[in-house]
Amino acid sequence: MKEKGILFVLSGPSGVGKGTVRKALFEQDTELKYSISMTTRPIREGEQEGVDYFYRTREQFENMIDENKMLEYAEYVGNYYGTPKAYVEEMLDKGHDVFLEIEVQGAMQVKQNFPHGVFIFLIPPSLEELKNRIIDRGTESEHLISSRLDEAKNEIEMMEAYDYVVVNDDVDHAVRKVQSIVQSEHCKRERIAKQYKQLLEVDER
Amino acid sequence: MKEKGILFVLSGPSGVGKGTVRKALFEQDTELKYSISMTTRPIREGEQEGVDYFYRTREQFENMIDENKMLEYAEYVGNYYGTPKAYVEEMLDKGHDVFLEIEVQGAMQVKQNFPHGVFIFLIPPSLEELKNRIIDRGTESEHLISSRLDEAKNEIEMMEAYDYVVVNDDVDHAVRKVQSIVQSEHCKRERIAKQYKQLLEVDER
């Protein structure tokens, strides 16, 4: 009878500040369960197993892939990074919301397994600035605008698969928006009405 | 090029506390524009024209209806209550969010004219309590539950036309949820991506 938790996925172009927003969010919010990533890269000074990452050998990681135990994974500069399935599924089944902060390729893999997850795309303030420049056109050089356009088009294409877009103009603003998304998703009629209907059907038997 | 505002409609069963939540919301939030209702009921002591209501004669109100100038209206205990179209449309066109707090029949009229509005259904804590009672069945009398069931079914049916459901267990909680809904709706990818696409198309000409 317990309602399942919601899977929230924060992603965005590299360098947008996903990690910073995620850290600031978890300094404030304790209801969400953060799914720690697994990696084959060596542990760095100051990092902790099970806090920053789960550190595994290449062989161990590849076994997890073969056994279909990874929700998503990718290889960067010779190392694997990914999200183990077990923790995410266990927390969701227990009714906890799970939060992932991952790269765009990984997010698209997660979407295939969890189409009902909530996908948040973080965009750089430069995209917002570009918009403002276009609105105020004439005050800025056309050249400056067009040199940013290809990049922007790429970012806007990536956006398409997401439910929400948050501008990372300021970490606190971005965190507050993510918190609002989490709270309002719990108020979605589909989720709530479904739960009530199940309850009433049970009672009618 | 300016983005239109979003229309938010707060409604729910009578007696649920819509007015209390709306007042508490407007004590905190100034970005939203509250659309003041029009009525034919006499002004009461302490009330002000254009603050609590726009007070009109029956003839004036009926003329507005005939001229299709009402977004929604209904008659209660011999008096008309309704929302004039002009203010809502003007504010939305200027890019402001507009907030309506109206009865369920009115909300359904608004939905016909503004299908893209955001409809929030406020439910009484008794519905939430009923849910908890059913979950903890055995600890409560079956009779107590079933006596609330017909009413609950009616409320759940009304819910269907809404985007969000907020439990009015506590005014502050309910206000925070409404604020989250307002903020997260502005982060919806459809709205944001559309805006960027329009900008980039303009630039490509």
Side-chain angles (χ1 to χ4, degrees):
Chain A
M1 194 53 92
K2 184 133 183 72
E3 201 187 359
K4 278 190 93 175
I6 303 174
L7 178 65
F8 293 94
V9 178
L10 181 71
S11 191
S14 67
V16 72
K18 298 185 284 293
T20 313
V21 170
R22 184 255 304 167
K23 274 175 205 151
L25 175 68
F26 277 88
E27 278 166 16
Q28 292 180 36
D29 197 312
T30 53
E31 294 274 312
L32 292 164
K33 300 288 179 188
Y34 174 57
S35 166
I36 297 155
S37 294
M38 190 171 279
T39 184
T40 58
R41 82 150 166 75
I43 188 163
R44 292 179 191 151
E45 216 181 298
E47 290 185 349
Q48 274 184 277
E49 159 74 15
V51 175
D52 298 283
Y53 283 101
F54 296 114
Y55 303 89
R56 295 293 181 269
T57 65
R58 214 175 159 79
E59 201 192 332
Q60 287 171 326
F61 202 111
E62 284 174 347
N63 281 341
M64 300 262 307
I65 297 171
D66 291 344
E67 290 165 12
N68 196 27
K69 288 182 176 169
M70 297 304 288
L71 187 54
E72 57 85 22
Y73 70 94
E75 209 173 347
Y76 296 103
V77 225
N79 284 305
Y80 283 120
Y81 294 82
T83 307
K85 258 186 197 165
Y87 178 83
V88 174
E89 288 178 348
E90 188 195 331
M91 288 300 124
L92 292 175
D93 284 342
K94 282 184 178 168
H96 297 297
D97 291 345
V98 176
F99 191 88
L100 303 182
E101 176 244 308
I102 51 180
E103 302 297 328
V104 285
Q105 304 94 313
M108 292 306 92
Q109 291 176 47
V110 176
K111 201 173 159 110
Q112 295 199 315
N113 289 305
F114 288 93
H116 298 300
V118 176
F119 292 80
I120 306 170
F121 192 74
L122 199 65
I123 60 168
S126 58
L127 191 60
E128 186 69 11
E129 278 160 28
L130 180 72
K131 194 184 77 181
N132 295 333
R133 277 179 192 157
I134 294 172
I135 290 171
D136 300 337
R137 57 173 42 241
T139 64
E140 287 277 350
S141 86
E142 287 293 318
H143 179 70
L144 204 80
I145 294 174
S146 61
S147 70
R148 244 307 261 142
L149 269 181
D150 282 348
E151 203 184 324
K153 277 177 194 158
N154 188 24
E155 283 164 358
I156 290 156
E157 256 170 53
M158 284 196 271
M159 227 182 248
E160 285 303 305
Y162 291 77
D163 301 298
Y164 295 97
V165 175
V166 168
V167 183
N168 190 17
D169 53 346
D170 173 279
V171 177
D172 290 340
H173 286 177
V175 166
R176 249 176 285 143
K177 284 176 183 172
V178 172
Q179 288 172 322
S180 288
I181 291 165
V182 171
Q183 187 162 42
S184 71
E185 279 291 324
H186 278 279
C187 299
K188 282 261 179 90
R189 190 255 310 152
E190 302 94 86
R191 292 189 207 276
I192 294 179
K194 194 176 143 200
Q195 214 186 345
Y196 281 114
K197 276 186 193 160
Q198 282 173 345
L199 287 165
L200 295 190
E201 273 163 27
V202 165
D203 207 82
E204 273 172 331
R205 280 190 309 207
Chain B
M1 194 55 90
K2 183 132 182 72
E3 200 189 0
K4 279 191 93 176
I6 304 174
L7 179 64
F8 292 93
V9 178
L10 181 71
S11 192
S14 67
V16 72
K18 299 185 284 293
T20 313
V21 170
R22 184 256 303 167
K23 273 175 204 151
L25 176 68
F26 277 87
E27 278 166 15
Q28 292 181 36
D29 197 313
T30 53
E31 294 273 313
L32 292 164
K33 301 286 178 187
Y34 176 57
S35 167
I36 297 156
S37 294
M38 189 171 279
T39 185
T40 58
R41 80 150 167 73
I43 189 164
R44 292 180 191 150
E45 218 181 296
E47 290 184 346
Q48 273 184 279
E49 160 74 14
V51 174
D52 298 283
Y53 283 102
F54 296 115
Y55 302 88
R56 296 292 181 269
T57 65
R58 212 173 160 81
E59 201 191 334
Q60 287 170 326
F61 201 112
E62 285 174 345
N63 282 341
M64 299 263 306
I65 297 170
D66 292 344
E67 291 165 11
N68 196 26
K69 289 181 175 169
M70 297 304 286
L71 186 56
E72 58 85 22
Y73 69 94
E75 210 173 346
Y76 296 100
V77 221
N79 284 306
Y80 282 119
Y81 294 82
T83 306
K85 260 185 197 165
Y87 177 83
V88 173
E89 289 177 348
E90 189 195 329
M91 288 300 124
L92 292 176
D93 285 342
K94 283 184 177 169
H96 297 297
D97 292 344
V98 175
F99 192 89
L100 303 181
E101 175 245 307
I102 52 181
E103 300 298 329
V104 285
Q105 304 92 316
M108 293 305 93
Q109 291 176 46
V110 175
K111 200 172 160 110
Q112 295 199 314
N113 289 306
F114 288 91
H116 298 298
V118 176
F119 293 79
I120 305 169
F121 192 74
L122 199 65
I123 59 169
S126 57
L127 192 57
E128 186 70 8
E129 278 161 28
L130 179 70
K131 195 184 74 180
N132 294 335
R133 276 180 194 159
I134 294 173
I135 290 173
D136 302 334
R137 55 175 42 242
T139 63
E140 286 277 350
S141 86
E142 288 293 317
H143 178 71
L144 204 80
I145 295 174
S146 61
S147 70
R148 240 312 256 139
L149 269 181
D150 280 348
E151 203 184 323
K153 277 178 196 159
N154 189 23
E155 283 163 0
I156 290 157
E157 256 170 53
M158 284 197 269
M159 229 184 247
E160 286 302 306
Y162 291 76
D163 301 297
Y164 295 96
V165 174
V166 168
V167 183
N168 191 18
D169 52 348
D170 171 279
V171 177
D172 290 339
H173 286 176
V175 166
R176 250 176 284 144
K177 284 176 182 171
V178 172
Q179 287 172 322
S180 288
I181 291 165
V182 171
Q183 186 162 41
S184 71
E185 278 291 324
H186 279 279
C187 298
K188 281 260 178 91
R189 190 254 311 151
E190 304 93 87
R191 290 189 208 275
I192 294 180
K194 194 175 144 200
Q195 214 185 346
Y196 281 115
K197 277 187 193 159
Q198 281 173 346
L199 287 165
L200 295 189
E201 274 164 26
V202 165
D203 207 82
E204 272 172 332
R205 281 190 309 204

